[in-house]
Amino acid sequence: MLGHTFHVTASGLGKRNLQERLSHSPGILDATIQGESVRVVTEEAKPPDPSVLLPDMAEVKVTSVPPRFEDSFIAILKKKSEILPVVLRRGSPVSRSTQNGEVIIVQNIKRRFGNFYAVKGISFVVNRGEVFGLLGANGAGKSTTFRMLCGLLPPSEGSLEVAGQDLRRAAAQARARIGYMAQHFSMYVGLSVRENLSFFSSAYGLYGKAKRKRVEWALEEFELAPFAETTSGDLPLGYQQRLSLAAALMHDPEIIFLDEPTSGIDPLARREFWHRINSLANQGVTVLVTTHFLEEADYCDRLVIMSRGNILTRGTPEEMKASLRSPENQIGRASGRERV
């Protein structure tokens, strides 16, 4: 793939919108967010023409970058399958209550199990329409934090506010406005795809015409209609992931929590998933995600890294890379040979 891989930036165009535009540009096989740029793989071994990539943008910069093994894998699969990027359409606009400002407010929360503190007094805020990442190794406290934010586990100390609701006093009201996708497939494996969607619609308070409409929306948007009567446990992993995300969105939530959502799926399915998440964020949905794929941190607007119940560092992916990069890697980056 030498000569097929490039970084593209466009002044005035955010990385999610830039990725979406480039994914549909002629001659582009793959487009993934990498830092504040979008990394593209081209059909031909030559730099893409900015006027063809983004004809309405004046300041477009294309820079050659080294190829990776995954580039060839993705290129072969996409050429064979001709998979196109997806755009997820929401059922309704975000409500006025969360149109602006901070929708998740965490203030000095702690979680104690006996004498052990899994979370030791952390604070952060998440803004509407943001993709916010929680990173950390096993035992860092991110899963405990995640469960508290979802209203599944009460904090021992501190305060949590989600979608304008205090989780200590109105956990049920807050949960009604959030969606949750577990790390492992959590659908009823003995039920069909349609039956699972129907069940979760009812669980979220949808009935009658509204419920039927929402089920059909999910089958169409997630391309699950051909598998509507298939037993969920028999679905391939990529389709199980689609079903899990669809179920989390049945009530059109304003905030969605994703717990290591791309674990175990192939690179193409992972790209498809992030196209859908980017579509949601562009429509005002707030996304909080945990992931063990470091490259997926680039899809986050901001993130925190946790260790032993504390926050080690926070900021944008680029800010973190700049602060943590060694002098050797600073030189490599300047010469186009950035090391990981």
Side-chain angles (χ1 to χ4, degrees), residues 241-306:
Q241 183 220 45
R242 290 187 192 183
L243 176 58
S244 295
L245 182 57
L249 295 172
M250 293 309 290
H251 57 313
D252 213 9
E254 300 169 8
I255 303 170
I256 184 165
F257 292 86
L258 308 170
D259 191 6
E260 302 205 3
T262 61
S263 178
I265 62 172
D266 65 78
L268 276 185
R270 196 157 70 240
R271 282 158 169 73
E272 178 189 274
F273 174 85
W274 278 105
H275 274 292
R276 288 191 164 99
I277 294 304
N278 287 340
S279 295
L280 289 172
N282 283 335
Q283 295 171 75
V285 176
T286 305
V287 180
L288 195 144
V289 58
T290 67
T291 178
H292 64 270
F293 290 109
L294 292 180
E295 66 268 25
E296 290 191 347
D298 280 324
Y299 286 89
C300 298
D301 297 299
R302 292 186 300 124
L303 52 95
V304 298
I305 297 178
M306 295 186 65

Side-chain angles (χ1 to χ4, degrees), residues 213-230:
K213 184 177 180 180
R214 199 61 181 166
V215 169
E216 293 307 315
W217 168 87
L219 291 174
E220 177 185 353
E221 289 293 330
F222 289 88
E223 300 174 7
L224 290 167
F227 306 94
E229 309 311 323
T230 301

